[in-house]
Amino acid sequence: MTEGDTESSGELSSFLHLTGWRPLVLALIAGLAGAVGLFLALSAPAEFQARYTLNAQRIADDDFTPAQLDIFVEEIAQTAQFPQVIRAVEIRTGLVEEDDYMITVGQSGSTLANVDINVVSEVAEEAQLVAVETGIEAMTVTLNKVLGGHVASADQIEDSIAEIEADVAELTRLAGGLNPQIAYDTAVQRVIAREERNSNPPQIPRDNGDGTTSLVEEPEPDPPLQELRDRVTELAPIQRQFQNESAALDALNQRLGDRNNDIRDARAALALVETERDDALIISEVVTEETSRIAGLLTGLLLFAVPAALAVILLFVIWDALRKKPEADQMRRADDFEPAGVLEASAQPALPEGKVTPLVVVDEEELDPADIGDDILAEVDDEEVIVEDDDPDDEPKSKKRSKDGRWGRDASSKAG
């Protein structure tokens, strides 16, 4: 581009090498490419969007808190995106994701109990089928995981119960085959009774051998009091351990009962999911409609027009870089310009001495011929009389007479 082209065009157009007729070429090519993109977008088949809502609260445990329900719903939404779920849906429907349909699954923003399923496909029935099968498979996998967790927890609880029951059996053996709590209570009562008996022993008659009898204390029966106390001391830790084991066993039995209820509820939910294809109790359709073509048209337009425009600009740049610029079109740096307008002195040719005539304008009425000396140069013509005195100190003695008036024409009109 020449210097004139750069100055007359904008900075952006100059940078993009779009001057002269080039913008018209660019607009023509980009318009044709955009028209091709629009034609291809219009030729594409119509697509349908099926929107479904999965109500997870209908298969969740009744004892779930809001936080637990939120986790359960989020797990279903995440499970729907697992590769195993996608493969199962492909096997059941015969449709391949990204080739035959596009799907998006996420937790609903309006309520924590719902999962939104959106499917886009060229056939409305296929979109509906994929949405339902994806929801069923996601619920099945999630419920199986929940059921497996409940079963594993129940098995663990049962193992703990078996260990505690073995400990209780050992404690019963140490307690003499009796319940350790009963054995301890019995031993304590025997000690209390023996102490009461010893504090007030019973009196029994004794034959003195002379035919008389007397009352004496009855001897302490076996076992003695000290052995009874030793037995209580021996049974005390057994009784305490038995109480702890009994409390733990009761808690485990309660947990096992809850897990069994959870297992029963999970199996009931799985049975409900199996009938979803016929009953539609969990997954409900929101709407199935044809998708808008505006986005596709804009995509087709930009997808063809923008690359074509960039290619044309690149060709212009390469052309300007390869072609040889004329010498006249080369950019030249201008001379420095002084805004103040500096003038430099220069030699000028001198006028002949005879041509230099200082002019003095005089009035013809005051002109006295006697005052004109030899040292005065005068020039008189039909129009004016000019008299010059060499003495600068004297007053002007020469006057001008003109036919045009008192003062005549400007003396500068005859100068030069």
Side-chain angles (χ1 to χ4, degrees), residues 75-273:
E75 186 175 3
I76 294 177
Q78 293 177 354
T79 303
Q81 304 174 11
F82 285 176
Q84 63 188 41
V85 175
I86 297 175
R87 287 195 298 270
V89 173
E90 290 179 356
I91 293 174
R92 293 177 184 176
T93 61
L95 303 174
V96 180
E97 186 181 9
E98 295 184 358
D99 292 339
D100 300 322
Y101 67 92
M102 298 293 295
I103 185 171
T104 302
V105 182
Q107 190 172 7
S108 176
S110 58
T111 175
L112 298 178
N114 292 347
V115 177
D116 293 337
I117 304 175
N118 297 327
V119 181
V120 178
S121 178
E122 296 180 359
V123 182
E125 290 76 9
E126 293 181 356
Q128 296 171 349
L129 179 62
V130 169
V132 173
E133 291 297 334
T134 301
I136 291 175
E137 186 64 23
M139 287 189 296
T140 302
V141 174
T142 303
L143 288 174
N144 281 326
K145 289 193 297 183
V146 173
L147 177 61
H150 291 332
V151 171
S153 178
D155 293 340
Q156 185 179 2
I157 293 173
E158 289 178 351
D159 293 340
S160 300
I161 289 175
E163 293 178 1
I164 292 177
E165 288 178 347
D167 294 339
V168 170
E170 180 64 19
L171 294 174
T172 302
R173 186 187 66 79
L174 294 176
L178 299 176
N179 186 303
Q181 184 65 46
I182 298 175
Y184 176 78
D185 294 340
T186 302
V188 170
Q189 292 297 327
R190 292 179 66 183
V191 170
I192 294 174
R194 181 63 58 87
E195 289 177 348
E196 290 179 354
R197 185 260 176 208
N198 291 343
S199 63
N200 188 16
Q203 300 291 323
I204 60 174
R206 185 182 65 177
D207 188 5
N208 294 329
D210 56 358
T212 63
T213 60
S214 62
L215 295 177
V216 296
E217 294 181 356
E218 182 182 12
E220 183 180 359
D222 292 330
L225 177 60
Q226 187 59 40
E227 290 185 6
L228 295 177
R229 289 176 177 174
D230 292 342
R231 181 60 176 171
V232 170
T233 304
E234 180 183 357
L235 290 175
I238 297 175
Q239 181 266 344
R240 288 194 298 270
Q241 185 177 0
F242 175 77
Q243 285 184 340
N244 295 333
E245 297 291 348
S246 297
L249 185 61
D250 292 340
L252 288 176
N253 286 324
Q254 181 65 34
R255 291 180 55 191
L256 181 61
D258 295 339
R259 288 294 174 268
N260 290 331
N261 292 333
D262 294 338
I263 292 173
R264 184 172 57 255
D265 293 341
R267 288 173 177 171
L270 283 172
L272 183 63
V273 171

Side-chain angles (χ1 to χ4, degrees), residues 269-295:
L270 283 172
L272 183 63
V273 171
E274 291 297 329
T275 63
E276 179 62 22
R277 296 180 181 87
D278 300 328
D279 299 336
L281 299 177
I282 306 172
I283 304 174
S284 58
E285 182 182 9
V286 177
V287 64
T288 300
E289 59 184 359
E290 184 177 354
T291 60
S292 176
R293 290 177 174 265
I294 296 178

Side-chain angles (χ1 to χ4, degrees), residues 19 62 95 130 169 222 300 312 347 375 392:
T19 58
D62 296 336
L95 303 174
V130 169
D222 292 330
V312 172
D375 56 350

Side-chain angles (χ1 to χ4, degrees), residues 1-5 324-332:
M1 291 183 295
T2 64
E3 182 179 2
D5 294 336
K324 185 177 180 181
K325 296 182 180 180
E327 192 68 24
D329 293 343
Q330 298 294 329
M331 303 293 290
R332 295 189 299 275

